[in-house]
Each structure stands twice: as structure tokens, then as C-alpha cells.
């Protein structure tokens, strides 16, 4: 697999802002990512493809192994304006291409996924699931007991993905989305540190690896 997960850096902000604008066109004001990166309660992860060779760095919990980026990924980065509609100034050739991101807030013993998005041409390729997987893993590392999120009532594919990882619909937030007043399900997975959940989670990771290939996940 050519993509891997790592913590978001300040250099990623232009690309992540562009992804947010594409996925959440009605979000206003836009997320202050620079401030969020300095917030001890929040963590942001990105899915990245290296633009040139091996530039993976950092320390902390690491899961799985990175398969070398294929030549098509490098060509994709070089021609990203034509393929993905990303302005050329967004991506420095020396930087890594960002395909998606997830934001997580940690409050007491809860991890709350605030936003999750993948570039439109790369959706339905397993990258969203990789972000969900990494979010739950990070919550485990941080010793959170549960993970929560909101999902549009109409977004059935998202419900199916979250339910695959044990999330359950526990309530509804009325008129949560400002663009059309749509309600949101509150979805939660509890007891993520329990042996039974961790066994289930490991099974899901194994199935993902068989289907999509292994991907490195640098969580901190």
C-alpha cells in the first residue's frame, strides 16, 4: 500500500485546508488548524504519500510496515493539479502528498472524532477506513475508554463503516448540520480497552490488511 498515516504537521495545513473545503464546503468559519495543532486536547492525523523516496520520520507508537511508494504515486504528486484539481502552489515538490485527515479531541476518558475527510477522487478506496482504524488505535494509546462522533442521518455508507468498528447509534443531534439542517446520529464505541473489543479490533485490522495491504501508522 502506498499511503501511510502520521501526525499532521504545520506544513500540511494548506493541503488539509483544501481537503476540508472540498469535503465540508459549508463549514464556516474554517477550522483554525494552526491553533488546533497547538492544542494539547486535540490531535490530527493525515494519510500521506511520500513525494520523493523515503521521508518517513517521527517517533512514538508505530503499527505495521510501510510498503515502498509506487512510481504512480510519485507521478500523481507531480501531476496533482490535473488529477485532483489541487492548485500547484498547495504542494511543495519536497513535501508529501496528503490524501485525507482526521481530527480527534481527547476529553477525560473520551476520544471524540471531530472531522474526517478524504480527497474526493480517493474515496471508497479504503483510506477513510484507515483513518477510522488509526483514530481508534490512538484512542487506545491515550487510554481513552470510548470513541464518539457525529454522522449525518443520510450518510449510510459512513454508518456502515463506523458500525464495522463497533460504533452504535445512541442518540440524535437535531439540525446539527448548518448547510441543510440535517440531523446527526451520535455514534459511540465503548470499552475499547477491554480484551473482547481489542480482539474484535485486531480481527478488523487483519481483514483490512488482507483486502487493502498493510500500511504504516505513526500515531504520535
Amino acid at each position: 500500500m502506498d499511503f501511510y498515516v502520521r501526525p499532521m504537521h504545520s506544513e500540511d495545513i494548506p493541503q488539509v485546508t483544501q481537503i476540508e473545503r472540498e469535503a465540508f464546503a459549508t463549514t464556516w468559519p474554517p477550522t483554525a488548524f494552526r491553533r488546533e495543532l497547538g492544542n494539547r486536547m486535540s490531535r490530527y492525523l493525515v494519510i500521506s504519500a511520500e513525494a520523493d523516496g523515503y521521508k518517513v520520520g517521527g517517533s512514538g507508537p508505530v503499527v505495521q510496515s510501510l510498503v515502498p511508494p509506487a512510481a504512480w504515486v510519485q507521478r500523481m504528486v507531480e501531476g496533482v493539479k490535473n488529477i485532483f484539481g489541487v492548485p500547484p502552489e498547495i504542494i511543495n515538490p519536497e513535501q508529501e502528498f496528503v490524501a485525507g485527515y482526521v481530527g480527534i479531541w481527547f476529553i477525560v476518558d473520551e476520544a471524540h472524532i471531530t472531522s474526517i475527510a478524504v480527497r474526493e477522487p480517493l474515496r471508497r478506496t479504503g483510506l477513510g477506513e484507515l483513518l477510522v482504524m488509526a483514530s481508534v488505535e490512538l484512542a487506545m494509546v491515550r487510554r481513552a475508554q470510548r470513541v464518539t462522533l457525529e454522522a449525518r442521518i443520510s450518510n449510510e455508507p459512513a454508518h456502515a463503516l463506523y458500525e464495522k468498528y463497533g460504533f452504535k447509534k445512541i442518540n440524535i443531534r437535531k439540525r446539527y448540520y448548518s448547510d441543510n439542517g440535517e440531523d446527526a446520529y451520535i455514534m459511540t464505541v465503548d470499552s475499547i480497552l477491554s480484551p473482547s473489543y481489542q480482539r474484535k479490533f485486531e480481527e478488523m485490522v487483519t481483514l483490512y490488511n488482507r483486502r487493502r495491504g498493510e500500511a504504516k501508522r505513526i500515531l504520535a
Side-chain angles (χ1 to χ4, degrees), residues 2-13:
D2 301 304
F3 294 99
Y4 76 104
V5 177
R6 62 167 171 80
M8 176 179 167
H9 307 311
S10 59
E11 294 83 1
D12 302 319
I13 291 175

Side-chain angles (χ1 to χ4, degrees), residues 20-21 23-31 101 115 152 177-179:
E20 180 188 55
R21 189 181 303 119
F24 310 111
T26 60
T27 299
W28 190 260
T31 303
Y101 77 95
S115 59
R152 287 181 183 269
Y177 294 98
S178 59
D179 57 342

Side-chain angles (χ1 to χ4, degrees), residues 1-136:
M1 190 171 186
D2 301 304
F3 294 99
Y4 76 104
V5 177
R6 62 167 171 80
M8 176 179 167
H9 307 311
S10 59
E11 294 83 1
D12 302 319
I13 291 175
Q15 292 192 69
V16 173
T17 299
Q18 202 266 347
I19 296 170
E20 180 188 55
R21 189 181 303 119
E22 176 186 87
F24 310 111
T26 60
T27 299
W28 190 260
T31 303
F33 289 111
R34 196 168 300 278
R35 184 179 65 194
E36 286 290 280
L37 290 180
N39 184 348
R40 290 188 298 176
M41 296 176 62
S42 69
R43 290 293 183 273
Y44 280 78
L45 302 174
V46 298
I47 288 183
S48 182
E50 296 159 316
D52 182 21
Y54 291 90
K55 297 182 181 178
V56 180
S59 59
V62 177
V63 186
Q64 314 285 342
S65 60
L66 175 66
V67 178
W72 75 266
V73 175
Q74 297 184 26
R75 292 197 300 270
M76 173 185 71
V77 175
E78 294 167 1
V80 73
K81 180 180 179 181
N82 294 328
I83 299 175
F84 295 106
V86 181
E89 65 272 13
I90 290 293
I91 299 180
N92 184 321
E94 297 300 317
Q95 293 179 352
E96 297 176 341
F97 175 72
V98 175
Y101 77 95
V102 61
I104 312 155
W105 273 60
F106 291 91
I107 305 171
V108 191
D109 62 349
E110 178 178 306
H112 181 73
I113 296 176
T114 59
S115 59
I116 184 169
V118 174
R119 291 188 187 276
E120 197 280 331
L122 289 170
R123 293 172 191 167
R124 295 172 293 280
T125 62
L127 297 186
E129 182 171 354
L130 183 58
L131 285 171
V132 172
M133 184 192 305
S135 300
V136 174

